[in-house]
Amino acid sequence: MTASPKEPGRRLAAVPDLDPAPNPHATQAEVEAALKDTKLAQVLYHDWEAETYDDKWHISYDERCIDYARGRFDAVAGEQPLPYERALELGCGTGFFLLNLMQGGVAKTGSVTDLSPGMVKVALRNAESLALPVDGRVADAETIPYEDNTFDLVVGHAVLHHIPDVEQALREVLRVLKPGGRFVFAGEPTTIGDFYARWLGRITWETTTRITRLSAFADWRRPQAELDESSRAAALEAVVDLHTFDPTDLEKIATAAGAVEVHAHTEEFSAALLGWPLRTIEYAVPAEKLGWNWARFGFTSWKTLTWVDEKVLRHVVPRGFFYNALITGVKPS
């Protein structure tokens, strides 16, 4: 589905020559080509993940994730006069950030863009199921297909680290914002946080898959075809994750793009140290083996450790050691 940039909220039928169809089953030849073409990798990987992405990352559109999205917005942007009239989500994925922010009272109407047709399709489907006024376009973040001064707010979650030229993307964000409009990006990996998260993930994956090779734990092992599929996806993931950020450097990039009132915030230190091993185990064993108690343990632990991070560790641990970076800025009036 697409909509004209001049007509916010209007839902139109898909236009094949504007928005290509999703490709959820990349061939081996396409995967090999994508290893040398980061934007092709972005499309293939995210089309591959689109239909299962919400389940994989425990994304929902209820109070739990509404509170999470609104919490990220408030943590970096502070108190703002709400709601914004029209918002854009850049690199929308399944629409997680914008749709939950809209439900949380941050914006009245929305638009979603992503390089992946599959993600735009799922985001619009999610918006429709929630009865939210949202239109969408398949689009490159470095050339946003909307006119100058269109939006009051631009948001994104875990998107900047996928964009080859982050400064150019932020220039585009400022172009489509109205004067005085704000952007908020969350969920970006810090350089130090990404280092320890990846090592924790690798160690946990190796340990878990070795244990489940033992006959006593054979029924805890995913079918080999699923493990191979995860490995193929991981190979593409290594190509699509282009950047990590020092929060101070991220502030400099936003300022160089032309933003004012720039501020970066970081979060999740102890929460990330536990969260990454837990998520890796979920990929390595059948979901039915873990069950509701596991999910409740993971969420409760994350909330508890997030409180520890915010109330205790933030005062003693440098901000660059936290896993997630958030950034906000304003278009000059």
Side-chain angles (χ1 to χ4, degrees):
M1 300 178 72
T2 65
S4 165
K6 297 182 181 179
E7 299 175 309
R10 181 180 174 189
R11 302 176 75 71
L12 304 175
V15 182
D17 61 337
L18 290 179
D19 286 358
N23 176 21
H25 303 293
T27 66
Q28 186 60 38
E30 287 173 325
V31 171
E32 290 174 1
L35 297 178
K36 300 177 182 178
D37 182 343
T38 183
K39 291 193 177 182
L40 175 60
Q42 302 288 352
V43 174
L44 294 183
Y45 176 74
H46 290 99
D47 272 8
W48 198 340
E49 296 274 285
E51 294 293 339
T52 59
Y53 195 79
D54 283 351
D55 288 338
K56 175 180 178 180
W57 292 100
H58 305 301
I59 290 171
S60 63
Y61 300 89
D62 54 16
E63 184 178 357
R64 178 177 65 88
C65 280
I66 293 170
D67 289 347
Y68 175 86
R70 181 63 191 271
R72 309 290 70 70
F73 181 90
D74 292 345
V76 69
E79 187 173 337
Q80 299 294 324
L82 301 175
Y84 288 86
E85 188 66 33
R86 188 180 183 195
L88 167 71
E89 182 170 12
L90 199 68
C92 63
T94 58
F96 153 73
F97 202 40
L98 177 61
L99 302 186
N100 281 313
L101 287 176
M102 290 177 70
Q103 292 189 100
V106 171
K108 292 181 181 179
T109 64
S111 300
V112 293
T113 64
D114 200 291
L115 199 58
S116 159
M119 288 296 192
V120 173
K121 174 185 174 182
V122 174
L124 290 174
R125 188 173 69 210
N126 286 338
E128 187 171 9
S129 72
L130 296 166
L132 293 174
V134 175
D135 62 71
R137 295 289 303 273
V138 175
D140 189 326
E142 295 173 7
T143 53
I144 301 173
Y146 290 92
E147 294 183 353
D148 299 0
N149 308 320
T150 298
F151 298 99
D152 305 285
L153 173 70
V154 175
V155 300
H157 190 277
V159 60
L160 296 181
H161 69 285
H162 292 312
I163 301 172
D165 192 336
V166 176
E167 186 176 322
Q168 169 60 21
L170 291 178
R171 287 195 197 100
E172 280 287 280
V173 166
L174 292 170
R175 179 184 65 77
V176 301
L177 276 172
K178 296 176 182 178
R182 178 176 295 275
F183 63 79
V184 171
F185 290 95
E188 301 298 337
T190 64
T191 301
I192 295 174
D194 182 73
F195 175 80
Y196 63 67
R198 288 188 182 275
W199 273 106
L200 284 170
R202 288 170 188 161
I203 292 168
T204 306
W205 178 266
E206 288 295 325
T207 302
T208 305
T209 53
R210 285 178 184 273
I211 290 173
T212 55
R213 288 193 189 104
L214 301 174
S215 58
F217 298 97
D219 59 342
W220 281 76
R221 184 174 178 82
R222 281 188 183 270
Q224 190 60 43
E226 292 184 13
L227 294 175
D228 291 342
E229 187 81 352
S230 293
S231 296
R232 291 180 72 206
L236 276 181
E237 188 173 15
V239 179
V240 302
D241 289 348
L242 301 178
H243 310 288
T244 59
F245 300 99
D246 175 87
T248 301
D249 291 342
L250 189 55
E251 290 171 334
K252 292 177 180 177
I253 293 170
T255 301
V260 297
E261 300 179 37
V262 173
H263 168 64
H265 176 78
T266 57
E267 58 186 13
E268 292 192 24
F269 180 59
S270 64
L273 291 174
L274 176 66
W276 276 97
L278 292 184
R279 282 191 286 265
T280 304
I281 291 172
E282 290 170 5
Y283 304 152
V285 305
E288 63 271 13
K289 288 294 184 180
L290 299 176
W292 169 246
N293 286 334
W294 172 272
R296 183 171 59 183
F297 164 71
F299 182 61
T300 302
S301 299
W302 177 83
K303 287 188 69 175
T304 300
L305 293 177
T306 297
W307 184 91
V308 172
D309 290 337
E310 291 300 313
K311 301 301 182 182
V312 180
L313 297 181
R314 177 165 304 286
H315 302 291
V316 295
V317 177
R319 67 175 184 167
F321 282 74
F322 286 72
Y323 178 75
N324 277 324
L326 305 83
I327 185 79
T328 190
V330 171
K331 179 174 181 174
S333 298

